[in-house]
Amino acid sequence: MSDDKRHIRRLQQVAPAESAITTSVESCTCTNCGRDIHLDETQPVIRLIHAHCPHCTHRYLIPGRVDEFVLLDRIRIGATGNLYQAQNLSNNSRVAIRFLPDRSIISEASRRENLQRELLVFLQLNNVHLPRVFDLRVVNQQPFLVTELVLGETTDARLKQHTRLPEIDALRLTHDVADGISALHKAGLIHGNITPNSVVMDAQGIIRLSNPGLLGIPRRDQRGGIYGTPLFIAPEVLKGGPDTPRSDVYSLGVMLYLLLTGEHPFEGKTLDEMLKAQMLAVSFPIGEHVPTLNSATREIVRRAMKRNPAERYADGQAIGDDIRAALCKLSPPAAALPVTPLPAKRLPVAAWSVPLIQVRPGFRYAALATVAISLLFWWLSIDPGPLGCRNASVVRPSTGFSAVSAGAVATCIYPLEPKWLDLCLGTASTRGTTFWKRNALIFSGVGNTIGNTYDNCRFMCTSLRSPYIISIALDDLTAEDPSARAGILVHANLTADAPAVFFGCTANGELLLMCRSQKGTDMQIIRSRVLPNSALRPLGLRLECNANRYRACVKTRDGDWLVFGYCQADILWRSSKIGLAVASGSADKLAAAEISDIRILVPFQ
């Protein structure tokens, strides 16, 4: 036997135990040089190890096969399961395989049922910051999850390069993670493994959790050991207590502390000393590491890391709300991350920032005049219908709209000039008006909100029975309430609690993609981004529909269309309403939006 073969066999004996369930493959392709590597000399491969390509000496994983999946590379070895990149031979797609560390999960009926129940709940979630879960498999009593492959730079790797992050970048990253775990908490699930190594910025610049968390994995093994990274686990969980949304908040607070300072919050020469300080909640004051931190940011970290769970934020949404408020108080950094122009005919990415919609001084007076004219038109208008809706044709400018680039939906090339209906959706939105000012639409109304379980807003809409793209330029939003919203709204019908998708902005400068996937449920924030302060420029919004899937894109005046997020909603084309919406955040105060360049494209017929 050759020395290389002996070395490989010796390494196979100490490789991760789950690799023993894999079967061998005859050859693989080097990811570095692209040449084929024949594996006859190392068969049977019963344990996965790394070797060197005979052509370019690049280090690669000797692959093994589990069911129809070929494990190509090991992404991470962790306490909650080893993670591999795999190829699905049935459809030639790339997925992630995570072997669960505790085999008793599937041997005990109660634990197996709990895992299946949590898996079904997770499958119904639709949040851009969470990975999708495709399947649960068991091979030779070894359970493993088949999930979406999330690749990119981990936050841990980013910290090693930059030591610590600027305050506004750290808050934005943590806000996106809070949005993801908020969806978990609303569904009754706990993540339990929030660390910088599990948070990834993908190729589109979106912050993602690279794994679904515990998801059926018990916190302790049969010997009493703890699954997870100890320095990020809440003290009450280390003492044997259950995981709760508040323990996830604690982990998020520790990660935010690390992002802001580059140091762990607990001092000690050894891990045991650091754990003792953690159990006693004796953390080093964050303000002494970084004295320039905003007071709101310090308070978020302090409250999230409270030793008593009752004194922490209740869940991901609560801490996310405070992070969003803290971001609104901060000015953008002097040097923002550059936006790389996208090559033609490729899907755009979204690692960028866009300007804050501000009110021009001259428009304030125009808005006041608009409100006065709106009230006059409203008093002269007809009464609302039985659904609280007022139907009236909207007068358009005489000039038609030209076609625009349709991006990935290349078949949508035919521009429409539909007949718009002016509606009041919901019971708290019975005032407002709509009229054209040159080529811009002045659109005003009242209404509590666009979101939650019901929508109360001003809605100018039309009906389409095919795939479509709708795009607008949102020039201005004037409102007294900072929670006022305006943008593109798609509704399944004219009932306030129908499935819906909203893509637009708030008056305080937050870009939102929201989705109510089923009737009568809460509208979920799929993605949000606080827009930095800058001079007013039109903000382009575009929503692309294909069946029940939606893609939201955004651009600045001189920029390219960039993907902001994806969502899915149960909206039938035959009865859906597509258009524009504005809500003032209050039932007795008006909000006015100035919208131009309204375009609707449908497939060529």
Side-chain angles (χ1 to χ4, degrees):
M1 184 181 294
S2 66
D3 292 340
D4 289 343
K5 193 170 182 179
R6 289 191 183 94
H7 179 63
I8 288 175
R9 291 290 172 84
R10 187 165 57 251
L11 289 176
Q12 288 175 351
Q13 296 174 1
V14 297
E18 76 268 1
S19 304
I21 70 172
T22 63
T23 57
S24 61
V25 296
E26 294 181 357
S27 64
C28 67
T29 303
C30 176
T31 57
N32 184 51
C33 66
R35 300 176 68 176
D36 290 336
I37 303 172
H38 296 283
L39 303 172
D40 296 338
E41 294 184 359
T42 61
Q43 288 192 15
V45 178
I46 61 170
R47 291 182 180 270
L48 301 178
I49 63 167
H50 284 91
H52 294 277
C53 173
H55 308 293
C56 66
T57 70
H58 177 73
R59 191 168 181 260
Y60 74 99
L61 183 81
I62 298 178
R65 178 172 173 173
V66 181
D67 282 356
E68 71 269 32
F69 305 101
V70 174
L71 307 182
L72 302 176
D73 196 8
R74 187 183 300 128
I75 300 174
R76 188 178 306 115
I77 294 178
T80 57
N82 298 335
L83 191 66
Y84 291 87
Q85 180 180 168
Q87 181 179 9
N88 188 342
L89 297 179
S90 62
N91 56 18
N92 204 32
S93 63
R94 294 293 176 94
V95 296
I97 300 291
R98 187 177 73 161
F99 292 94
L100 303 186
D102 192 349
R103 297 191 180 196
S104 63
I105 292 174
I106 52 96
S107 61
E108 299 177 12
S110 60
R111 298 177 67 179
R112 183 171 63 251
E113 292 175 0
N114 181 62
L115 173 60
Q116 292 173 343
R117 182 171 57 253
E118 291 194 10
L119 181 62
L120 288 175
V121 173
F122 197 97
L123 288 172
Q124 298 175 14
L125 297 180
N126 185 12
N127 188 286
V128 71
H129 304 298
L130 298 175
R132 290 173 293 171
V133 177
F134 301 128
D135 199 3
L136 169 67
R137 299 287 184 91
V138 180
V139 175
N140 295 337
Q141 299 301 310
Q142 172 63 60
F144 61 90
L145 289 173
V146 184
T147 67
E148 178 186 4
L149 180 62
V150 180
L151 296 177
E153 183 185 34
T154 66
T155 304
D156 189 50
R158 191 175 175 186
L159 279 175
K160 290 178 180 178
Q161 292 180 356
H162 304 286
T163 306
R164 64 185 182 89
L165 302 185
E167 182 178 0
I168 193 168
D169 291 344
L171 288 175
R172 285 173 176 167
L173 186 150
T174 311
H175 175 267
D176 288 348
V177 177
D179 182 66
I181 64 172
S182 173
L184 288 175
H185 295 165
K186 289 180 179 179
L189 301 177
I190 307 297
H191 191 276
N193 190 36
I194 301 170
T195 68
N197 204 36
S198 65
V199 177
V200 172
M201 176 182 286
D202 67 11
Q204 295 181 340
I206 300 174
I207 300 300
R208 308 285 304 278
L209 285 163
S210 61
N211 62 72
L214 294 177
L215 193 59
I217 302 174
R219 174 60 77 179
R220 295 183 180 273
D221 60 20
Q222 294 177 332
R223 296 174 297 178
I226 294 180
Y227 291 128
T229 307
L231 290 177
F232 291 88
I233 299 177
E236 69 274 9
V237 178
L238 291 175
K239 294 177 181 179
D243 284 276
T244 65
R246 296 177 189 269
S247 57
D248 272 349
V249 167
Y250 179 90
S251 302
L252 191 62
V254 174
M255 189 178 76
L256 179 56
Y257 186 108
L258 185 61
L259 295 178
L260 293 168
T261 66
E263 302 285 344
H264 277 283
F266 307 105
E267 293 184 306
K269 296 180 180 180
T270 64
L271 178 60
D272 288 341
E273 292 180 0
M274 296 174 70
L275 285 174
K276 288 179 181 178
Q278 179 181 358
M279 297 290 282
L280 298 174
V282 182
S283 60
F284 191 83
I286 190 171
E288 296 187 21
H289 279 299
V290 188
T292 57
L293 284 181
N294 187 280
S295 59
T297 302
R298 297 186 193 185
E299 175 59 22
I300 291 172
V301 175
R302 187 191 67 82
R303 183 177 172 187
M305 292 177 55
K306 283 284 190 179
R307 182 181 180 183
N308 183 359
E311 298 178 1
R312 297 180 204 144
Y313 293 99
D315 52 24
Q317 180 175 348
I319 188 174
D321 291 342
D322 272 14
I323 293 174
R324 187 156 52 246
L327 279 168
C328 292
K329 298 178 182 179
L330 293 175
S331 299
L337 292 176
V339 178
T340 304
L342 299 172
K345 298 182 180 180
R346 291 186 62 187
L347 288 177
V349 298
W352 55 286
S353 60
V354 293
L356 173 65
I357 298 179
Q358 295 179 339
V359 181
R360 290 175 289 187
F363 185 67
R364 294 183 184 273
Y365 302 103
L368 293 175
T370 299
V371 172
I373 297 173
S374 301
L375 293 174
L376 178 61
F377 276 95
W378 173 67
W379 286 112
L380 296 176
S381 63
I382 60 177
D383 293 333
L387 290 175
C389 300
R390 181 164 51 86
N391 300 349
S393 300
V394 176
V395 180
R396 299 191 312 274
S398 57
T399 58
F401 301 118
S402 59
V404 298
S405 171
V409 190
T411 57
C412 292
I413 58 175
Y414 184 73
L416 284 184
E417 294 185 38
K419 180 179 180 180
W420 295 101
L421 293 178
D422 193 6
L423 310 173
C424 296
L425 187 63
T427 58
S429 56
T430 55
R431 291 194 292 124
T433 192
T434 306
F435 66 90
W436 292 96
K437 174 189 173 186
R438 296 181 182 176
N439 289 330
L441 176 72
I442 305 299
F443 191 41
S444 65
V446 299
N448 294 337
T449 186
I450 304 170
N452 300 328
T453 306
Y454 299 91
D455 296 324
N456 288 292
C457 59
R458 189 82 177 172
F459 192 25
M460 190 185 82
C461 63
T462 188
S463 299
L464 298 176
R465 296 188 178 183
S466 66
Y468 60 88
I469 294 176
I470 178 172
S471 65
I472 65 171
L474 185 55
D475 298 325
D476 267 308
L477 175 57
T478 304
E480 296 182 32
D481 193 326
S483 64
R485 298 173 180 176
I488 300 171
L489 179 65
V490 178
H491 236 254
N493 50 55
L494 295 181
T495 58
D497 62 343
V501 174
F502 172 75
F503 182 45
C505 284
T506 63
N508 63 353
E510 184 179 13
L511 186 60
L512 289 172
L513 174 62
M514 306 177 68
C515 176
R516 184 187 299 111
S517 57
Q518 296 180 347
K519 176 181 173 65
T521 59
D522 287 337
M523 184 173 278
Q524 303 290 328
I525 297 179
I526 304 301
R527 192 182 183 204
S528 64
R529 178 65 60 93
V530 177
L531 308 179
N533 295 308
S534 67
L536 173 67
R537 289 184 292 172
L539 181 66
L541 304 176
R542 186 172 81 191
L543 194 65
E544 302 173 357
C545 170
N546 188 0
N548 63 344
R549 298 183 63 84
Y550 296 84
R551 184 173 79 167
C553 304
V554 66
K555 75 168 185 176
T556 58
R557 180 192 297 272
D558 300 321
D560 296 324
W561 286 109
L562 302 175
V563 174
F564 184 76
Y566 300 84
C567 64
Q568 184 171 334
D570 189 15
I571 302 177
L572 299 176
W573 287 338
R574 296 178 182 178
S575 59
S576 63
K577 303 298 179 184
I578 299 97
L580 315 174
V582 61
S584 64
S586 173
D588 57 355
K589 296 179 181 178
L590 279 170
E594 182 178 1
I595 301 172
S596 61
D597 204 19
I598 305 171
R599 307 165 191 259
I600 294 183
L601 305 181
V602 296
F604 182 79
Q605 304 185 6

